[in-house]
Amino acid sequence: MKKVVSIAIALAFVLGVTMVMAATAPEKVTLKANPKKVVEFNHKLHSDQFKCEVCHHTWDKKGEPQACLTCHKKKAGDAPKYFKAFHDRKSNHSCVGCHKNLAKDGKKTGPTKCAKCHVKK
Ligand code: HEC
Ligand code: HEC
Ligand code: HEC
Ligand code: HEC
């Protein structure tokens, strides 16, 4: 009995943490590392459909995921350059890569044309 209770408490703790984490996912994010290429990103639309670590691929599942720019810099270093993080045509971590892969599989997807993400104001 004691064991059952401690498992229940452990489970409640895990669920509680999960809920707190889900609550930290932002509704909208503006990517503006390059002021000439600002992108409004509907984060909720995406985080409702995909696991966090599909995009936050280095996240340890504790605390807040780090911004892509923390590692992906203007020029390639330990991580591929910033441009590649969003336009890599193969990787599901990248905006364009995921949209392309889903289109290939005939699934509902997002845009791959420049102007659809880089909206002129
Ligand atoms: C489809 C891709 C994708 C998914 C899925 C996703 N995110 Fe994000 N998230 C992003 C991108 C892109 C950013 C902007 C990062 C940046 O500014 O460099 C971001 C930003 C964030 C930020 C703000 C980070 C900061 O420092 O500005 C938090 C917090 C966050 N996401 C949490 C989550 C959580 C929690 C989940 C899962 C419930 C999740 N995300 C799912 C792509 C995604
Ligand atoms: C803590 C550092 C770190 C963060 C934060 C990070 N990345 Fe990465 N990323 C890397 C490293 C290192 C690589 C190269 C090794 C690998 O593929 O894991 C990489 C590779 C990639 C690739 C190429 C994948 C491939 O298959 O080679 C893409 C695309 C990518 N990251 C997108 C993102 C996006 C989008 C975000 C933010 C939502 C992000 N990354 C956040 C470190 C990071
Ligand atoms: C893991 C897959 C995946 C990744 C990564 C991803 N998307 Fe999407 N995106 C989708 C899917 C699926 C849809 C269609 C969602 C729907 O209509 O319900 C979509 C729809 C969109 C749309 C059209 C709907 C809207 O919000 O206007 C835009 C724009 C978009 N994505 C931008 C981005 C940007 C910018 C990034 C990177 C920061 C990104 N996406 C990363 C899967 C992805
Ligand atoms: C699915 C969405 C999406 C599509 C399609 C897209 N981009 Fe991007 N692009 C982004 C995101 C997100 C960023 C990061 C914006 C920022 O932080 O300023 C970005 C940034 C850039 C940057 C700045 C990179 C840097 O290192 O400064 C350039 C240049 C760029 N895109 C060109 C293009 C071109 C050209 C196309 C069409 C061939 C294109 N993009 C299509 C999402 C997209």
Side-chain angles (χ1 to χ4, degrees), residues 71-91:
C71 305
H72 294 279
K73 305 289 188 189
K74 188 86 192 159
K75 293 211 177 96
D78 293 336
K81 63 180 177 182
Y82 190 66
F83 180 85
K84 197 164 180 196
F86 304 110
H87 307 84
D88 186 305
R89 298 165 76 84
K90 296 205 181 94
S91 171

Side-chain angles (χ1 to χ4, degrees), residues 15-76:
L15 291 176
V17 169
T18 311
M19 271 152 60
V20 168
M21 284 187 317
T24 66
E27 289 274 324
K28 287 211 157 65
V29 173
T30 305
L31 291 130
K32 51 180 184 219
N34 184 332
K36 289 195 191 118
K37 288 284 172 190
V38 175
V39 173
E40 305 282 351
F41 176 53
N42 187 338
H43 190 283
K44 187 175 193 307
L45 178 82
H46 288 81
S47 61
D48 280 353
Q49 298 183 51
F50 298 100
K51 285 201 170 135
C52 315
E53 48 293 8
V54 172
C55 305
H56 299 285
H57 68 100
T58 57
W59 186 40
D60 60 3
K61 303 192 187 163
K62 295 175 214 126
E64 296 223 335
Q66 286 174 293
C68 316
L69 192 63
T70 314
C71 305
H72 294 279
K73 305 289 188 189
K74 188 86 192 159
K75 293 211 177 96

